[in-house]
Every structure is written in C-alpha cells, then in structure tokens.
Amino acid sequence: MLKITFMGAGSTVFARNVLGDVMLCDALRDCEIALYDIDSVRLDESRRILSTLNENINGGRAVLKPYLGAENRKEALRGAAFVVNAIQVGGYEPCTVTDFEIPKKYGLRQTIADTLGIGGIMRALRTIPVMEDFARDMEEVCPDALLMNYTNPMAMLTGYISRYTGVRIVGLCHSVQVCSQTLLTELGMEDRLEGRKEVIAGINHMGWLLSIRDKDGNDLYPEIRRRAREKNAGVKHADMVRLDYIDKLGYYCTESSEHNAEYNPFYIKSRYPELIERFNIPLDEYPRRCVNQIKDWKETSEKLLSDPHLTHTRSTEYASHIMEAIQTGKPYRIGGNVLNTGRLIEDFPQQACVEVPCLVDGAGIHPTYIGSLPPVLAAMNMTNINTQLLAIEAAHTRKKEDILRAVMLEPHTAAELSIDDMAKMVDELIEAHGPYMAMYQ
C-alpha cells in the first residue's frame, strides 16, 4: 500500500488541504497516511478531522495512523513513498517572539522574519538540525522517498537537505501559483487571466515574473508597468513594495509586499521612518497574525471537529499533484525549489537553491533550464543567496562565527547595524533560544 507521511500534522488546516487533496485523487486515495507531530493535542485534533474527511469524501479507503514524538518518528517514516514537511520549530512562543523582540532592542525592525533577515537566519538555524534528523531517518527507513518541504525559510532548508543528506527533496511555496493572478486582479486586468502564459524564476519569495502574455500572445508588461505606477501614486494599498519593484526593477515578484519589504535595504530604514508610511509597511506583522490565529484556533477547531458532514474541494497545493504525476506518469508542471545543479540559472552558483518551473512525471522532478536573468534581478537575488549560503554553512559547521558572517551579509541588517551590534545581537539571540540553538558554539 502506498504510504504518505505528514510531518507536522498538527498544522491541521494545512494537513486537511494536502491530505484532503490526496483523498480526492484516484491514484492516491487507497493509501496509508502517517500523521506525525510532537504536540499530542494538535495531533489528535488533526487525526479526528481527517478521519471524518476520509469517511465523507473517500469512503474510509485511506488508513490513518498517528505517531507522537521523536521516539516514534522513524516508524512514521518507515516505508513512505512521499513525505510532506510542515513543521515549525519553537512556535510563536518562545521562538517567534524572541526573533522579533531582541532585534527590536537594537533598532532592527521586521515584518514577517521567516525567510531572510535576522529572524529568517535564526529560524533556519533552529529548524535545520530537526530536519536533518528527519533526513537521517529517511535515509535508513525510506531512502527512495520524495520529501516535499513547505517549511520556511524555504531556500535555506531545502538547500541544506539537498547538499548535506541523501534525501530527494523539492521545496514548494504557495506564492508561485497566485503571483500573476494577484497582479492582474489588483491592476484591474482580470480579463487577461484566462489562457495567460507566464515564466517565473528566481529564488523562493523573490521569484520573478519574467514574462506574461495573454492568450493571444500579447505582452502584458507595458500595460502592467503603466497601471502599477498609477496605482502606487494613488491611495495606499497592501502591495506597494512589489509595485515599486515593477517601477524600479521592471518586474513583479512572487511573494507579498510585507515579505519583500525586509529582503533588501530600501524600505525599512531607521533614518527614513517616513518610508514605512509611504509604502504602507506593516511592521511586526507576523506576530500579529500568530496572535490572531492562536485566538481563533479554538473556535475553528471546535467547528471542524463538530461537523459530521465535513467535506473538501481539491486545492491548488502542489503536493497531491506531484504524487499523482509520479504514481501515474501523467506530467504536471510546478514551480519548485531545487539546487541550481547544472546552472539552471546561469547567474547563480550551483550550491544556490533556485525556484524554477519543473516538470513532474513518473521519473520524478525535472527542473527547467532558465539561462540568465536580467542583471538587476540577478543582483537582487544574489544579495539574498549570499545570506542563504552563509546560513547553510553556519548550520553545517555549528560555529557562531559563521552565523555572524551570514548576518553581516544580510541586506537589511547590514544597512542598519554595526558589526559589533550584530555580534551582540547574535549572542543574545542564541542564549535566548536556549535548547533550540544550544548546538551553536
């Protein structure tokens, strides 16, 4: 029987989407689903909700088995063909709060802090040791499995596992799927959505919409650029940073403006506080989201648990489509995060983790060769890749001096702090994270 393992199954809503998709797919629905988490309450909630879903949409054909705690992790993974990773190490409290509050003492402000910046680096350094443990178990008990990683920071985690373990891995992010639809919709160009053709490539959260044409082959960028300038000159809105990218760099990128506000030295600057208002940047946005999600979860979970008629419509998440393509051989196209092996993007080193179109079929995942990017886009990506590669190096060596080097090359941090303050901040963060980062000396 086909086995699918979901790591971090306490992420109930996301697990419901991915595994609900599996239950709706003819090639996958007769499977064993292993649910793994370290939180017994959340794991049981997910098991109960997914069991109801399995009965309602799948006739109970999938076999669900929960596995709690690290001592049961290897059994959860044993014999799996596919592994989905959606863990968050350290949670909102204490780790996310620490990642925001300590840098704030040094005058370093953040919005999301899950991909780059000091927060992204810290998140990578505490998550990689856990994922490496997963990978070592996979090498032993399911060496041929495909690991589909949804956890951030995507490029650092996927890059590390690709380089330092024998596990097959692809990183998957929602932002690729919604990129051009979001852009055309917010610019009032919905009539160009159907049949559009696009190419997106770069790195995770800063992948570039390199080309976009309508169903008749007309280049949409001239009109996009005109409307983007006009929209940013008008009433404030939620996507001002990315539309400013179009104005200054010529192209739109995949992830939201609140994310991209902190991936560069341009928008969050203590000497220019007016930029925060001008570009409508929501500082401390991720902690606010976490607080609201935690507050709303009890009501949401009770609603899901008490609904005997719970159902599901197949989502746009890539995971089930990848599994289906590999199982059936029917090709499917994704935007995937993979190593830049063979210079898929000529401008970047082979060790970089890039986000490029990939074809999936019965033989696995086949990344697309892109060639060179427009120089300014490659340069923007490289400022992030530098930090990613140095953070991966620090995770490998476990040396504090390598962590500092990653922080020194991080664009936003370098624009705001002295090296001495960076070093003090790193020491304070490592101490505050306690056992989550005790391996770094």
Side-chain angles (χ1 to χ4, degrees), residues 46-340:
S46 291
R47 179 195 62 78
R48 290 162 61 194
I49 289 166
L50 288 164
S51 294
T52 301
L53 206 59
N54 187 34
E55 291 298 325
N56 290 348
I57 69 173
N58 195 27
R61 289 160 64 174
V63 177
L64 274 64
K65 296 182 180 179
Y67 296 84
L68 176 66
E71 65 274 18
N72 293 306
R73 185 180 65 219
K74 194 175 290 188
E75 284 309 307
L77 290 165
R78 189 177 301 279
F82 301 103
V83 179
V84 179
N85 181 58
I87 65 169
Q88 182 181 355
V89 176
Y92 169 62
E93 289 183 317
C95 288
T96 294
V97 172
T98 299
D99 284 345
F100 274 84
E101 293 305 313
I102 288 177
K104 200 180 294 183
K105 288 167 50 179
Y106 291 84
L108 193 59
R109 303 301 303 274
Q110 301 173 95
T111 55
I112 305 294
D114 73 348
T115 294
L116 208 70
I118 185 63
I121 293 169
M122 291 296 122
R123 184 180 281 235
L125 293 173
R126 65 176 178 266
T127 305
I128 284 172
V130 177
M131 283 188 63
E132 187 165 19
D133 286 344
F134 292 179
R136 298 306 172 206
D137 284 349
M138 289 178 66
E139 288 172 338
E140 180 182 342
V141 301
C142 56
D144 298 323
L146 174 66
L147 175 59
M148 290 170 279
N149 178 49
Y150 278 97
T151 297
N152 286 321
M154 179 63 66
M156 297 185 205
L157 303 185
T158 305
Y160 185 95
I161 297 300
S162 297
R163 290 172 57 190
Y164 291 113
T165 79
V167 169
R168 292 192 303 148
I169 183 171
V170 63
L172 306 173
C173 181
H174 324 278
S175 62
V176 177
Q177 290 122 301
V178 299
C179 176
S180 63
Q181 181 176 351
T182 299
L183 176 62
L184 294 179
T185 301
E186 71 177 335
L187 294 182
M189 298 173 66
E190 296 94 334
D191 60 319
R192 305 300 184 92
L193 284 168
E194 188 177 352
R196 71 192 184 279
K197 301 172 181 66
E198 63 189 45
V199 176
I200 296 176
I203 59 172
N204 180 242
H205 284 190
M206 199 188 278
W208 303 104
L209 183 61
L210 295 172
S211 67
I212 179 165
R213 296 180 178 274
D214 66 17
K215 64 182 187 322
D216 298 318
N218 298 305
D219 185 1
L220 297 182
Y221 252 127
E223 182 64 9
I224 286 171
R225 291 178 180 120
R226 185 188 71 78
R227 293 195 187 201
R229 283 192 296 272
E230 187 176 89
K231 188 175 179 72
N232 261 16
V235 177
K236 286 186 174 59
H237 59 91
D239 203 19
M240 299 191 77
V241 168
R242 284 198 292 177
L243 295 197
D244 197 50
Y245 273 13
I246 295 175
D247 185 46
K248 303 300 190 302
L249 308 176
Y251 296 85
Y252 193 64
C253 82
T254 49
E255 191 47 86
S256 65
S257 280
E258 63 266 24
H259 278 84
N260 271 274
E262 65 184 6
Y263 298 164
N264 55 67
F266 307 138
Y267 301 102
I268 304 174
K269 301 175 77 71
S270 56
R271 287 186 56 201
Y272 301 91
E274 69 275 9
L275 293 174
I276 303 301
E277 181 179 354
R278 178 180 165 191
F279 288 99
N280 202 24
I281 296 169
L283 295 173
D284 299 323
E285 173 66 14
Y286 187 62
R288 276 194 298 275
R289 292 181 189 178
C290 291
V291 169
N292 290 333
Q293 287 170 354
I294 292 166
K295 183 178 68 176
D296 295 342
W297 174 245
K298 183 173 176 57
E299 180 182 339
T300 302
S301 64
E302 287 175 357
K303 182 179 177 182
L304 292 171
L305 287 164
S306 63
D307 183 2
H309 307 295
L310 193 66
T311 188
H312 179 70
T313 301
R314 195 170 185 182
S315 76
T316 59
E317 296 294 350
Y318 283 142
S320 71
H321 294 281
I322 291 171
M323 296 184 230
E324 181 181 32
I326 290 175
Q327 288 295 104
T328 66
K330 182 180 178 181
Y332 188 78
R333 185 175 183 247
I334 67 168
N337 288 270
V338 295
L339 276 192
N340 193 36

Side-chain angles (χ1 to χ4, degrees), residues 327-357:
Q327 288 295 104
T328 66
K330 182 180 178 181
Y332 188 78
R333 185 175 183 247
I334 67 168
N337 288 270
V338 295
L339 276 192
N340 193 36
T341 305
R343 293 285 177 86
L344 300 167
I345 298 180
E346 293 280 2
D347 314 274
F348 306 151
Q350 296 201 66
Q351 299 94 329
C353 183
V354 296
E355 192 167 68
V356 296

